[in-house]
Amino acid sequence: MDLNNIKDPSVVKNLTDEEMKNLAQDVRNFLINNLSETGGHLGANLGVVELTLALHRTFDSPNDRFLFDVGHQSYVHKILTGRGGQFDTLRKYQGLCGFPKRNESEHDVWETGHSSTSLSAAMGMVIARDLKNESHSVVPIIGDGALTGGMALEALNHIGHEKKNVTVILNDNEMSIAKNVGALHSALARMRSAGKYNRVKDDFEWLLKKIPAIGGRVASTAERLKDSMKYFVVPGMFFEELGFTYYGPVDGHDFEDLQGNLDYARKTDGPVIVHVMTQKGKGYQPAESDVKDKWHGVGPYKIDSGEKIKPADAPPAWSEVISEALRAEAREDERIVAVTPAMILGSKLEKFGEEFPDRLYDVGIAEQHATTMSAGLATQGMRPFLAIYSTFLQRGYDQVIHDVARQNLNVIFGIDRAGLVGADGETHQGVFDIAFLRTVPNMSIMMPKDENEAKHMVHTAVKYENGPIALRYPRGNALGVEVADKAETIDIGSWEILKSGKDAVILTFGTTIPLAIEAAETLQEQGVNVEVVNARFMKPMDEKMLHEIFERNIPVLTLEEAVVQGSFGSAVLEFQSDHGYYNRPLKRIGLPDRFVEHGDVKDLWKEVGLTRENVVDKVLKLLPQSEKRA
């Protein structure tokens, strides 16, 4: 079947199981071939091919609502809903999104970049359906990793209480982004080994009731016996106690097993869980054998060997720079404990865990718990380093304020993926953390210009004794500069002048420093001498230097890869106003007041104005007419 020409899911409605198997193979080949060029979330989508095909054969999208959680498992759904011909643009600038996108298709009813949200959204949709006297199905498809998130458990509790008709598909591949952890994961493992339950139970009761005269009484007795014994032998009791009817475990790669259980689930009143077992990476040997889940999200690769196509001799990733600096500190300081919410691989903490297995804790998809647990560690004199993506720290914001900062605890926040992250798009851009952390009392925020300064900042954070401190670092590779043998502390709140100048000043930090230097060199060629300052601490700022700059009465430009409202530039603007430096020209460059979608970071920088031309233009417009050069 030509997958590029599929218009809607009706193509699978009347297929036999054998035809579905052939289509599943076509889909796998399509994904393997296309993602070898674009990159993307290969493993998760290879694992849900049969499941997605069976769901679209059983239900009627878009009338029935599918919610994919996490949304990176929606590629097969996109193919079946008419977007196969766009896969050459997957996760590229202005191309096909790697997650469900409501403005892409009427079949995408919920956008899920962060995990564990589908059940709450589904409950809202179910309530709306019932209030409007509609009758469609609402089907959240949630992974076993996402199910461990606190929000998902809250929603399970409420759904079970309300007894609404909702069909939850538990896609259980024993992995989220990495190996799942926790007691719930262990409970699911026991369910996997226990065999099917509800279909067998229902079939048995139906047969008993067929016995003339006594069948009903026997069935009733069997029901009571079942209720007393199921606590010992029945899988899915966790869900049944929450008020769900449980079907499974189901072989997620067997169409007959899938179809039978989905048909049962659709006819069942009340909330239903269909526990589907899938294999991540199914059908592609390098991904199937990936025990460390490095095929979760991949760049381009060679199909025959699975070899990743990477630039030769690239500098280490920023995450590795930070984790290696932390590992060096941990050898000298036994108080250091690393904590991460399911991001050991992403934050490059594998080597730390190998060397210090008792001092690395992966708490699963539980950002709130990770933050407050770190606070608890700090109360006992430990030095917790919470390695967390900027976008996921948003989920622990209350805990940052209430549990960490309010008690002024010495927690180090290693904010990974700070700035624009590119292909994962608007749900993952790390551009809000400066704005939402800067307003929190007791919080310090810093970002290095290169890996050498990063090493010193990790050391500074470990030695800091006056409350929480955040160390931001971007996605991608560092610069490749030489790193000092010995780490030294940096004075909190201190900035440094990278290039002296008399006509204007650019205040910047981290990833935008090279851009500022480049713009300053261009302006130098035009006779404009611009100073560039590494404003490496966003909070506290170097107020002594700021006073000196404003007292010179020269234009100031702030430049940052973060939302312009409320971030570093706003802090400088507030300082200017608070200290009465009126009539000093000041301009801010940062991200506009909208969500920035996916694409190569270079393209996104151009879109939002993080370009040499824009910086040069803004500086020239700030200068008095008499100082502008032709």
Side-chain angles (χ1 to χ4, degrees), residues 172-184:
D172 184 357
N173 59 24
E174 302 184 60
M175 305 280 277
S176 50
I177 292 177
K179 193 72 174 177
N180 288 324
V181 297
L184 183 55

Side-chain angles (χ1 to χ4, degrees), residues 233-306:
V233 298
V234 171
M237 277 313 305
F238 171 80
F239 299 111
E240 296 243 343
E241 286 300 313
L242 285 173
F244 285 77
T245 300
Y246 173 87
Y247 290 101
V250 179
D251 184 344
H253 304 295
D254 183 311
F255 282 113
E256 183 179 358
D257 202 7
L258 279 167
Q259 196 65 57
N261 280 279
L262 291 175
D263 286 341
Y264 265 89
R266 191 173 191 182
K267 297 172 185 176
T268 302
D269 287 332
V272 177
I273 288 265
V274 182
H275 183 181
V276 180
M277 300 297 304
T278 62
Q279 180 183 4
K280 207 167 184 179
K282 177 75 171 178
Y284 183 52
Q285 194 278 328
E288 282 188 2
S289 59
D290 177 25
V291 295
K292 291 189 175 181
D293 207 33
K294 293 185 177 181
W295 283 88
H296 167 74
V298 297
Y301 55 90
K302 297 179 181 179
I303 295 176
D304 292 342
S305 64

Side-chain angles (χ1 to χ4, degrees), residues 375-382 409:
L377 281 162
T379 65
Q380 303 305 302
M382 306 303 285
L409 297 172

Side-chain angles (χ1 to χ4, degrees), residues 509 558-560 563-564 566-574 586 588:
F509 55 89
T558 65
L559 176 62
E560 59 189 314
V563 290
V564 74
S567 294
F568 171 70
S570 294
V572 175
L573 195 61
E574 291 162 14
L586 187 151
R588 299 173 298 152

